[in-house]
Amino acid sequence: MSQSIREILVLLVLGGLGSQASQRVAEGPEPRNYDYFKYHNMSEISGWMEQLEKENQGVVTIEPYGQTYEKQNIKLLKIGLESTEKKKAIWMDCGIHAREWIAPAFCQYFVKQILDTYKTDEKIGQMLKNMDLYVTPVLNMDGYAHSWFNQSTRLWRKSRSPGNCGDSCMGTDLNRNFDANWGAVGISRNCCSEVYNGATVLSESEAQAVTDFVKVRSSEILCFLTIHSYGQLILVPFGHPNITAPNYDELMSVGLAAAKAIKDVHGMDYTVGSSPNVLYPNSGSSRDWARLIGIPLSFTFELRDKGQLGFELPEDQIKPTCEEAYAGVRSIITYAHDKAFHITTPSTPMPTPPNTAATLIATIWTVLLAVCLTSAHLL
């Protein structure tokens, strides 16, 4: 074979490989070949979602429910089996903070586990018949895409909307922008700050999208889960140090059971508590907002690690992190399901029925206290 022919063949092969790589970035790999233990960019995740819907018709549907500042369609995966009965639901979002790449990796892993097991795992199948799972793999799509731009943007946290300080200080902390004691504590009014809470409550289209979607379904949603990193924590409402959830004891019990399930997988310890007690005070979080509108179970997961590697958790940690977090999340959603559908098993004991009047009074008191604290702050 002549040298010129060899060169032509080499160029054709390399060209074909380059074309395949370009197509992967544009469309994403098929789920059958998808590597769940590598980090994926926004384009790949979007392609993965589309392929999942094609391969799981009648079980998985993509639902757009808003737009980001940069006009990307925010989409969730609705996962569930058809039922003639009225269904309940579970909410899960990942990637509200752009740099927390392990969170979207977990959402993808969670979806894979559910789809891989619902036909053989009786409990998962039962839950999909009774509940729909609403899973947003990446909520802060603009910020997440920006964190992939280059090494200098890798630790970007916020949204990409313009602040009041010019182009040098863009973005709002989406987890300080919800209508839950907005602006009261643990925020900054400096738009250059990592915890800048926005020009106004719900100023960010991403926070508004979640609010609009969840609020009209609040009576259906049994549990609200928002996945973050890092710290190995399970946080319960509320972020304000002077407000306690009316079902705090239940939240702690459910959270501690999840932490035990996590520890049983790889021996990792997760701390359970309210943010002021185990992390820091904050306000305007989606977790607190969900509890304030009446969703009984609301948790923030802070995945691995405890700060040694932080937001740049290496890919070899994705598998163990997701495996243990799945055990914890499964514990919580199983509890939520069994409580709602009056199913008692040895692993999910039913709680003592609450005093309805006392619970109502506690809920009203919590809301009134939150309003008073917010009003006092604004004054």
Side-chain angles (χ1 to χ4, degrees):
M1 185 182 296
S2 69
Q3 181 67 25
S4 60
I5 293 175
R6 287 194 189 95
E7 290 173 353
I8 290 170
L9 289 174
V10 169
L11 288 172
L12 286 171
V13 170
L14 290 176
L17 291 173
S19 174
Q20 291 173 14
S22 298
Q23 185 177 7
R24 179 176 181 269
V25 171
E27 300 177 2
E30 292 189 5
R32 291 189 189 92
N33 303 318
Y34 198 75
D35 191 341
Y36 287 88
F37 306 124
K38 289 188 179 296
Y39 294 120
H40 291 280
N41 63 34
M42 196 64 248
S43 177
E44 290 173 341
I45 294 171
S46 295
W48 167 80
M49 293 174 69
E50 292 169 8
Q51 194 65 29
L52 275 185
E53 184 181 43
K54 291 177 184 177
E55 293 181 355
N56 297 274
Q57 294 184 19
V59 180
V60 176
T61 55
I62 295 174
E63 292 194 13
Y65 64 98
Q67 286 192 324
T68 68
Y69 171 76
E70 295 178 352
K71 304 303 180 186
Q72 297 192 76
N73 288 324
I74 306 170
K75 300 175 183 179
L76 60 77
L77 294 170
K78 179 182 178 182
I79 305 169
L81 300 174
E82 291 186 8
S83 174
T84 57
E85 304 295 325
K86 186 172 178 60
K87 298 181 75 175
K88 295 295 185 180
I90 301 290
W91 171 274
M92 181 190 294
D93 66 73
C94 294
I96 193 171
H97 289 146
R99 62 193 177 190
E100 299 169 6
W101 287 9
I102 188 61
F106 172 71
C107 259
Q108 294 165 77
Y109 178 86
F110 173 81
V111 169
K112 169 182 164 54
Q113 289 301 109
I114 294 295
L115 295 177
D116 282 354
T117 61
Y118 78 90
K119 292 180 180 178
T120 56
D121 186 318
E122 183 179 352
K123 192 65 189 181
I124 297 296
Q126 180 188 50
M127 288 196 286
L128 288 193
K129 288 177 183 176
N130 292 329
M131 304 187 304
D132 291 320
L133 307 177
Y134 295 121
V135 182
T136 302
V138 184
L139 177 55
N140 182 6
M141 297 172 68
D142 295 347
Y144 186 73
H146 186 65
S147 74
W148 276 81
F149 183 68
N150 59 37
Q151 192 57 36
S152 70
T153 64
R154 171 63 183 86
L155 295 181
W156 185 262
R157 168 184 171 94
K158 301 186 288 181
S159 69
R160 292 294 294 162
S161 61
N164 299 322
C165 307
D167 291 343
S168 62
C169 292
M170 297 178 69
T172 289
D173 183 345
L174 296 177
N175 207 39
R176 302 291 186 277
N177 195 237
F178 285 81
D179 191 8
N181 310 310
W182 181 81
V185 65
I187 59 92
S188 174
R189 296 304 300 149
N190 177 358
C191 60
C192 292
S193 168
E194 295 276 43
V195 291
Y196 173 59
N197 64 332
T200 61
V201 64
L202 295 178
S203 60
E204 305 308 292
S205 58
E206 296 89 347
Q208 185 68 62
V210 173
T211 297
D212 292 343
F213 186 92
V214 172
K215 195 168 186 179
V216 297
R217 297 168 177 82
S218 60
S219 62
E220 304 167 16
I221 296 176
L222 302 174
C223 180
F224 186 101
L225 298 169
T226 180
I227 313 299
H228 294 240
S229 75
Y230 55 88
Q232 295 174 207
L233 305 169
I234 300 175
L235 303 175
V236 306
F238 284 97
H240 198 292
N242 296 334
I243 308 176
T244 301
N247 64 331
Y248 174 80
D249 289 344
E250 179 188 25
L251 289 164
M252 286 296 296
S253 176
V254 174
L256 288 168
K260 181 183 183 303
I262 288 171
K263 187 176 178 67
D264 288 345
V265 178
H266 293 297
M268 300 301 286
D269 290 311
Y270 273 57
T271 302
V272 183
S274 66
S275 190
N277 288 337
V278 301
L279 187 58
Y280 46 64
N282 58 40
S283 57
S285 73
S286 62
R287 175 202 61 238
D288 286 1
W289 170 78
R291 187 63 197 86
L292 280 174
I293 66 167
I295 296 174
L297 300 173
S298 183
F299 299 91
T300 300
F301 272 62
E302 298 281 358
L303 303 181
R304 290 193 190 187
D305 56 11
K306 291 192 174 184
Q308 297 90 336
L309 299 165
F311 302 117
E312 297 181 278
L313 195 71
E315 289 182 333
D316 64 10
Q317 291 293 300
I318 295 176
K319 187 175 187 289
T321 301
C322 289
E323 288 172 345
E324 66 198 16
Y326 178 79
V329 167
R330 175 171 173 150
S331 172
I332 291 175
I333 65 175
T334 299
Y335 172 88
H337 170 269
D338 289 359
K339 180 182 177 183
F341 292 93
H342 309 293
I343 298 168
T344 304
T345 66
S347 60
T348 56
M350 295 300 293
T352 303
N355 182 310
T356 304
T359 301
L360 178 60
I361 292 169
T363 302
I364 292 172
W365 170 246
T366 299
V367 174
L368 287 174
L369 180 58
V371 171
C372 290
L373 286 168
T374 302
S375 300
H377 172 78
L378 295 175
L379 290 173

